[in-house]
Amino acid sequence: ATRVAREWERRTLSFFLFPSSMRPALQGALARATLVAVLATLVPHASCISLGKANAIRAPALRLRGGAMAMFWGSNTDTPAYPPLATPAADETATSIVSGASSLAGSSLTASLGWRVVLAGSYCLFFAFTALPGRLDTKLGKPKREDGRFFTPSGWAFAIWGPIFLLEMVMAASAAFAPGSLAGPAGSEWLQQMAPCYAAAALHQVVWTLTFREWALDKLWIPALNLTLAAFGLSSAHGATTRALAAAGSMSWYGYAVAAVPIGLHFGWMCCAAVLSWNNVLNAVKAPRPVQLAAATFSCYGAAALLGHVSFHRRDPIPALVGWWALWAVSTGHEVLRGAVDNLALDALNLAAKASSWLSLLAAAAAVAAVRFG
């Protein structure tokens, strides 16, 4: 290794033409640094290569690398220090060290604190901004005949916010003060995946609370867009919970009750709320009534198809059950329009809402059957 390094130094100096004014010691250091860089590129994992009994190949590579490092740091090059060859005991010790370090990193306070703060903080932010007065939904009140909104659920449907807020409050409190209660024996990886998705959805809902106001009556596409983005975020959070459900030992029963259930409810309802918002956009821009009626009918079947597909694919009936709840409320929410629009068209819309509601219930049953017999 010493002879190779000296020859490399001579050739490097001649090829790269270092200035003659450069101190010889600096020239040597640069040449040796070049050699080390090349060796680091060629044999970066020489000590980790498993060659079985072919130590005659690995040993020179290790000695070459050790000798170069010894020269670079100014050690005695006649007795270069190089890593010892691996033995079964050394391999076992290294494996245990790496495993222990990985376990420590995964369960460290910093990693745990990250998702706990994100989950609890985003819920508190979402809840605080939702409580602010002045939103359009609190000012407009119940649907009126003069509104002419077709895709409108009855008021009782919004009672679903009760269990969503309550269970997510327990989830946030558990994340802050008892994180181990949410995770199963397999760990909290699903919570680390779910927390940022939930936080993104919460932030979009915060923006919705600030934009769904009188100043944005002619810009209702802004709150509609935010609810759509919130639905995407909750879809990702729901995906993390369903993957945890599919993995044995990843979620406790308590975690299912206070995390998976409210996330599923929230996701399903946010999808329906986004559909409602886009129908409100059509109403706000004074789209022709046939267009609004067709959009409302398509929205019923589209929401049922989306939530039914997600429920069956992810083996979770909750989103489809939310679709059943919301669409049945839509089928009874149009009665205020009796006399203001053609009754035959209104009956057809109500029929579409009820049919899509039953389809959602069928999809929920199929998801349960898939879990039970699949």
Side-chain angles (χ1 to χ4, degrees):
T2 304
R3 288 195 299 271
V4 170
R6 289 173 179 170
E7 182 64 18
W8 178 275
E9 178 180 344
R10 186 183 66 80
R11 291 181 178 272
T12 303
L13 290 172
S14 61
F15 275 110
F16 287 92
L17 299 176
F18 293 130
S20 57
S21 58
M22 184 179 293
R23 293 178 59 184
L26 182 57
Q27 293 179 358
L30 289 174
R32 289 172 185 134
T34 307
L35 171 62
V36 171
V38 171
L39 292 176
T41 304
L42 295 177
V43 285
H45 306 293
S47 59
C48 301
I49 300 173
S50 178
L51 295 177
K53 296 182 179 180
N55 289 334
I57 298 177
R58 184 165 61 172
L62 292 173
R63 288 185 173 88
L64 180 62
R65 187 174 65 174
M69 291 300 294
M71 286 186 299
F72 180 73
W73 292 109
S75 301
N76 185 359
T77 57
D78 294 331
T79 56
Y82 54 89
L85 297 178
T87 63
D91 287 341
E92 184 178 353
T93 302
T95 301
S96 63
I97 292 173
V98 172
S99 176
S102 300
S103 176
L104 180 62
S107 60
S108 65
L109 178 62
T110 303
S112 174
L113 190 62
W115 68 261
R116 291 165 59 190
V117 170
V118 168
L119 199 59
S122 58
Y123 172 79
C124 293
L125 191 67
F126 163 55
F127 185 83
F129 275 83
T130 304
L132 294 177
R135 294 196 317 271
L136 285 178
D137 57 332
T138 59
K139 286 192 172 185
L140 296 178
K142 295 181 179 180
K144 304 176 182 63
R145 177 177 296 189
E146 57 269 21
D147 292 341
R149 291 179 290 166
F150 289 99
F151 194 87
T152 303
S154 297
W156 53 263
F158 294 91
I160 196 173
W161 277 116
I164 291 176
F165 276 126
L166 179 61
L167 292 175
E168 288 187 356
M169 182 184 297
V170 177
M171 175 186 70
S174 299
F177 303 108
S181 62
L182 297 175
S188 61
E189 182 179 356
W190 70 274
L191 287 163
Q192 298 175 27
Q193 296 174 359
M194 183 268 284
C197 302
Y198 177 84
L203 289 176
H204 283 300
Q205 289 173 96
V206 166
V207 177
W208 172 80
T209 63
L210 299 176
T211 56
F212 195 50
R213 297 177 181 270
E214 290 185 3
W215 66 266
L217 276 174
D218 58 341
K219 304 178 184 66
L220 289 182
W221 62 270
I222 299 177
L225 178 62
N226 277 283
L227 288 184
T228 304
L229 294 174
F232 274 105
L234 287 168
S235 175
S236 299
H238 178 256
T241 62
T242 53
R243 287 191 298 271
L245 282 172
S250 292
M251 183 182 297
S252 64
W253 280 106
Y254 179 79
Y256 174 78
V258 303
V261 170
I263 292 298
L265 292 173
H266 202 165
F267 163 61
W269 185 253
M270 197 52 51
C271 289
C272 296
V275 172
L276 170 63
S277 294
W278 288 112
N279 278 270
N280 287 342
V281 171
L282 287 178
N283 180 260
V285 299
K286 307 298 182 183
R289 283 199 167 178
V291 174
Q292 295 188 50
L293 185 62
T297 304
F298 177 79
S299 297
C300 291
Y301 290 114
L306 172 64
L307 295 177
H309 170 75
V310 171
S311 286
F312 184 78
H313 178 70
R314 295 179 177 176
R315 302 297 192 264
D316 181 16
I318 293 179
L321 288 174
V322 174
W324 165 71
W325 169 273
L327 292 170
W328 190 266
V330 168
S331 71
T332 61
H334 301 129
E335 294 304 315
V336 69
L337 297 178
R338 289 285 178 186
V341 298
D342 183 69
N343 285 341
L344 184 61
L346 200 60
D347 290 339
L349 178 58
N350 287 345
L351 179 62
K354 289 180 178 179
S356 57
S357 176
W358 284 110
L359 288 174
S360 295
L361 187 60
L362 183 62
V368 173
V371 173
R372 178 66 179 82
F373 305 107

